[in-house]
Amino acid sequence: MPLDPYSIREDFPLLKNRKVIYFDNAATSQKPRQVIEAIKNFYEQFNANIHRGLHRLSEEASEAYENAHEVVAKFIGAKSYEEIIFVRNTTEALNIVAYAIGLYDLNEGDEIIVTIMEHHSNLLPWYVIAKLRKAKLKIIGLTSDYKLNYEELENTISEKTRVIAVTHMSNVLGTINDVKRIAKLAHEVGAIIVVDGAQSVPHMPVNVSHLDIDFLAFSGHKMLGPTGIGVLYGRKDFLVDLKPILYGGDMIKAVNFNGKSINIKLNDLPWKFEAGSPNIVGAIGLSEAINYLNKIGMENVRAYEESFTRYMLRRIDEELKDYVNIYGPRDVNEKGGIISFNVMNYHPHVIATMLDKYNIAVRSGFHCAQPLHQYLGITQGSVRASLYIYNVREEIDYFIEVLKKIIKELKE
């Protein structure tokens, strides 16, 4: 059935309690009552640490936490829960991959390829690793229509390429990259592909097996779940051999001391990458968020956002094209529900602040993608409106009217 945003809105307490048009979903999403109640139920009914005790509360918490791995695995098409590692967020997941691979498997002269549209989280770790290991970091640019330059990518890949790190959906442009195509190119030269799925996984069907990618990172708080919980997916054959970079409790089976030295035996997957007490309630909340999205259907989520984005772009073109510059592809088949723009020569913070006076929440600045803005010649950043399943057309209509008022006010 088609997605009904009006009935969906009824599940979101903040949208009922606060008079706000929330267009800041690329930063974080709102939470449905089902997720809030699942978190509340954990603390009230079976709060305990996992894998730590034989008492009933610990066993119930462990079962719920382990089940969350299963739910995530099925959601993204992983072959096993063993391929799902819970972390704090996308940033931590990408850093874990970069350091685990970089410190043990990269050598001087090896090459790492990233794109200019990367979030700092998928750029800076590879920059640091390249410096540490004396590897080369190569950055792929864009075409004139804000899409990845695949010709440049193909010409840059070589036998020295070890890693290609790429965003699935740009958090500034909304550009959706063909990661399956990029994975094929990577694997042809024996390289791995690391995908930042922070913006794609919440908004479109993502199947890691179909895409044939090696690593995927995403955050729960951008997909109706709580903050502080993220996911690192890794192919099992990689994870088996990959060394953890965090050591401590629960990631080992045994630590033996023979009087002179210590020997350790690592835990099984995925626990060997989850050192210390995890965010149990965060995993439970994320699991419930995925259940919510599954009931809607990710195909329906994507179809609705395509229609919604098309409508917003059309309204801007009809009413504001002489005053508003939009950055990103115009073909919604290759774009997510992210619309970054600037109004004439005014600073994006000015526009965002004025929109807030009309109870419209957007994001302004460089969106943790400063090199991309510099590459595009955007010196002050941009305003970003990002959409989700509970936004409705009336909000876009109001947004357009408010922007018209703001432009009139600024011109006077």
Side-chain angles (χ1 to χ4, degrees):
M1 295 294 293
L3 183 155
D4 180 7
Y6 298 98
S7 62
I8 287 173
R9 290 175 69 87
E10 294 299 311
D11 288 333
F12 289 81
L14 186 140
L15 299 180
K16 299 172 72 173
N17 295 334
R18 300 291 296 271
K19 184 180 179 182
V20 61
I21 293 177
Y22 191 76
F23 283 169
D24 195 20
N25 295 287
T28 197
S29 66
Q30 296 304 323
K31 322 304 175 192
R33 54 180 172 79
Q34 291 88 342
V35 169
I36 296 170
E37 289 169 2
I39 292 171
K40 180 173 178 285
N41 182 63
F42 169 76
Y43 282 128
E44 290 184 346
Q45 299 298 329
F46 56 105
N47 175 50
N49 210 335
I50 64 163
H51 303 164
R52 296 291 194 273
L54 299 178
H55 59 82
R56 187 174 302 170
L57 289 178
S58 180
E59 291 177 348
E60 290 177 3
S62 298
E63 182 180 359
Y65 183 72
E66 292 169 6
N67 178 68
H69 288 75
E70 296 275 10
V71 171
V72 173
K74 291 178 182 178
F75 185 67
I76 62 170
K79 294 178 181 178
S80 167
Y81 77 92
E82 295 174 298
E83 298 180 317
I84 304 302
I85 300 161
F86 284 144
V87 292
R88 290 183 301 164
N89 44 48
T90 306
T91 299
E92 183 174 63
L94 293 170
N95 272 269
I96 288 173
V97 175
Y99 282 92
I101 293 173
L103 294 179
Y104 298 107
D105 296 325
L106 283 184
N107 299 306
E108 183 175 350
D110 286 346
E111 295 177 355
I112 304 166
I113 295 177
V114 298
T115 81
I116 193 61
M117 68 178 79
E118 298 310 309
H119 188 284
H120 293 166
S121 297
N122 205 27
L123 174 64
L124 300 186
W126 299 111
Y127 166 80
V128 173
I129 282 297
K131 290 286 187 181
L132 288 174
R133 304 300 293 168
K134 296 182 180 180
K136 295 181 180 179
L137 184 68
K138 297 191 172 183
I139 302 175
I140 306 302
L142 309 178
T143 60
S144 58
D145 55 355
Y146 300 99
K147 297 175 185 176
L148 184 64
N149 190 327
Y150 291 97
E151 182 178 355
E152 181 185 352
L153 174 63
E154 291 176 4
N155 292 333
T156 302
I157 294 174
S158 73
E159 294 300 320
K160 294 183 178 180
T161 303
R162 294 293 175 264
V163 177
I164 300 179
V166 59
T167 181
H168 198 177
M169 181 192 296
S170 168
N171 75 311
V172 177
L173 305 174
T175 304
I176 298 174
N177 291 315
D178 188 349
V179 296
K180 186 173 184 177
R181 175 180 177 181
I182 300 170
K184 184 175 185 294
L185 293 171
H187 295 154
E188 285 175 352
V189 296
I192 65 167
I193 179 171
V194 179
V195 179
D196 174 358
Q199 300 299 335
S200 62
V201 174
H203 299 278
M204 57 190 284
V206 174
N207 186 299
V208 293
S209 298
H210 173 71
L211 295 174
D212 196 25
I213 57 180
D214 303 314
F215 293 94
L216 174 73
F218 57 97
S219 297
H221 71 95
K222 297 181 189 293
M223 52 188 294
L224 311 182
T227 56
I229 185 72
V231 175
L232 171 60
Y233 156 81
R235 276 175 42 188
K236 184 177 178 179
D237 52 338
F238 282 117
L239 294 179
V240 167
D241 296 327
L242 202 65
K243 294 180 176 64
I245 63 168
L246 299 175
Y247 287 77
D250 208 33
M251 52 76 59
I252 51 94
K253 281 188 175 180
V255 181
N256 296 311
F257 178 61
N258 62 11
K260 293 183 179 180
S261 63
I262 291 176
N263 295 305
I264 66 171
K265 183 178 182 181
L266 297 175
N267 207 341
D268 299 327
L269 291 174
W271 320 122
K272 81 169 187 177
F273 291 101
E274 296 189 8
S277 295
N279 184 356
I280 306 165
V281 72
I284 292 170
L286 173 58
S287 176
E288 190 61 38
I290 289 175
N291 290 337
Y292 189 93
L293 289 170
N294 279 333
K295 289 178 182 178
I296 296 172
M298 292 308 296
E299 295 84 358
N300 290 330
V301 172
R302 174 63 183 149
Y304 178 72
E305 290 187 14
E306 283 185 16
S307 173
F308 203 66
T309 304
R310 184 181 294 109
Y311 180 71
M312 189 169 191
L313 290 171
R314 178 169 64 81
R315 288 301 314 276
I316 292 174
D317 286 341
E318 290 174 348
E319 305 280 351
L320 300 165
K321 66 178 181 179
D322 293 332
Y323 307 102
V324 174
N325 294 317
I326 297 176
Y327 312 110
R330 304 307 291 266
D331 182 356
V332 297
N333 294 316
E334 301 181 51
K335 177 183 177 65
I338 294 173
I339 299 175
S340 294
F341 64 94
N342 275 317
V343 177
M344 297 183 286
N345 294 319
Y346 291 97
H347 198 286
H349 291 343
V350 172
I351 304 303
T353 301
M354 296 181 77
L355 284 169
D356 183 59
K357 292 180 180 179
Y358 291 91
N359 297 316
I360 299 174
V362 296
R363 181 76 37 166
S364 61
F366 292 111
H367 318 302
C368 296
Q370 191 166 358
L372 172 61
H373 283 82
Q374 293 171 340
Y375 175 86
L376 295 173
I378 308 170
T379 59
Q380 296 180 314
S382 59
V383 183
R384 184 181 69 190
S386 48
L387 317 172
Y388 212 8
I389 52 177
Y390 38 66
N391 292 127
V392 294
R393 288 198 173 196
E394 290 86 346
E395 291 179 319
I396 290 180
D397 295 337
Y398 178 72
F399 171 75
I400 296 297
E401 293 305 312
V402 168
L403 266 184
K404 288 164 67 174
K405 290 180 181 179
I406 290 172
I407 291 169
K408 183 179 179 181
E409 181 179 339
L410 291 171
K411 289 172 62 180
E412 290 178 350

